[in-house]
Amino acid sequence: MEGGLIFLNGEIVPQQGPHLSALDRGFTLGDGVFDTLRAVRGRLFRLSDHLDRLRHSAETLDLPLPMDSSQLAGAISTVLEANGLANALIRITVSRGVPAERGLVPPSSPVPTLVIHAIPFHGYPEERYRRGYAAILSTIRRNETSPLSYVKSCNYLDSVLARMEAGRRRGDEALMLNCAGHLACGSSSNIFLVSGDSVVTPSLECGVLGGITRGTVIELAAGMGIDGFERPIAPEQLLTAQEAFITNTALGVMPLVAVEGKAIGSGAPGPITLRLREAYEGLVQAIS
């Protein structure tokens, strides 16, 4: 958002202009974490869940957060107000900051860099949901043995490469397998399959980031009497599923209608997917 304002280490500053040191470990090493959440009519959806995940990510990297949850919530509100935004996507980024010496070993007492920025967001066009997404199976693997698979770190290159591959092959999303050959997730999404009256999603142990939307959909399904299961899923099961969909903060629930050029189910958004999408959007719009 050209001309916008961001929160940087306690201050509101213009988005355009020099902000970070060229020596910041977030820039030189990808040594940091982030999280993205949504504001609707000025209200923050699942704020505590997002901040809990940010804190978990930081703890995994032994990275101290410069603010507690209450202070972060206040800083997010300040950014929204400064930009006059009520409907937005907000990204919180925390790096380990500028070290006194170069090298991989982090400083014993780091001074983290905190950036919060927001962009206008009213959701994606309805046509995208009526059509649904087509995916490819990426050649990039998700390493279920790596701690980085379970946090939102600033090193997102596996996902970047997977999404670039999808673009080359005219896919909307790239689905990633783990090292055991099971489905893990999309480049920026979690995946669900529908079989009968049940939904199934890869278990977290498959190298899956615990998506906030993923967790919300599991809760909604249980409340609607739809059985939900978390387990390893072979990629072949995509083509035997009746329906499939992907989830993330920006998309919500997006029908997945094809993979590798082959239709999933009828090749159109299915009834359980549509029910869950309606329930999820209702929850988002009902926040107060």
Side-chain angles (χ1 to χ4, degrees), residues 129-134 241-244 255-259 262-270:
Y129 295 91
R130 287 194 293 267
R131 187 174 76 228
Y133 267 22
Q242 293 166 274
E243 310 171 34
L256 187 64
V257 299
V259 62
K262 299 178 181 178
I264 297 174
S266 68

Side-chain angles (χ1 to χ4, degrees), residues 1-4 13-19:
M1 184 173 81
E2 187 175 355
V13 298
Q15 179 173 292
Q16 302 298 324
H19 298 307

Side-chain angles (χ1 to χ4, degrees), residues 61-169:
L61 272 59
D62 196 20
L63 169 60
L65 293 183
M67 290 184 170
D68 62 24
S69 293
S70 176
Q71 291 170 322
L72 285 169
I76 294 168
S77 296
T78 298
V79 170
L80 292 175
E81 292 170 7
N83 288 283
L85 293 175
N87 299 286
L89 285 177
I90 304 111
R91 172 166 163 148
I92 310 167
T93 306
V94 183
S95 80
R96 209 178 300 266
V98 181
E101 300 178 359
R102 69 173 302 278
L104 294 181
V105 178
S108 57
S109 299
V111 180
T113 298
L114 168 64
V115 177
I116 303 174
H117 77 273
I119 59 171
F121 184 73
H122 296 273
Y124 290 99
E126 189 62 30
E127 170 58 26
R128 298 296 285 134
Y129 295 91
R130 287 194 293 267
R131 187 174 76 228
Y133 267 22
I136 61 125
L137 290 176
S138 176
T139 58
I140 306 298
R141 292 293 179 112
R142 186 89 171 177
N143 183 0
E144 69 273 25
T145 69
S146 169
L148 294 185
S149 292
Y150 303 97
V151 303
K152 290 181 79 73
S153 82
C154 290
N155 189 330
Y156 234 54
L157 285 176
D158 281 347
S159 290
V160 170
L161 290 173
R163 182 62 65 86
M164 289 169 62
E165 185 179 9
R168 289 193 297 270
R169 295 168 58 191

Side-chain angles (χ1 to χ4, degrees), residues 154-209:
C154 290
N155 189 330
Y156 234 54
L157 285 176
D158 281 347
S159 290
V160 170
L161 290 173
R163 182 62 65 86
M164 289 169 62
E165 185 179 9
R168 289 193 297 270
R169 295 168 58 191
R170 298 184 180 181
D172 299 301
E173 174 61 302
L175 302 182
M176 301 171 73
L177 308 183
N178 63 17
C179 296
H182 296 124
L183 278 173
C185 55
S187 66
S188 63
S189 62
N190 291 115
I191 183 168
F192 288 79
L193 276 59
V194 177
S195 179
D197 294 326
S198 303
V199 295
V200 58
T201 190
S203 53
L204 296 179
E205 294 77 12
C206 291
V208 175
L209 176 72

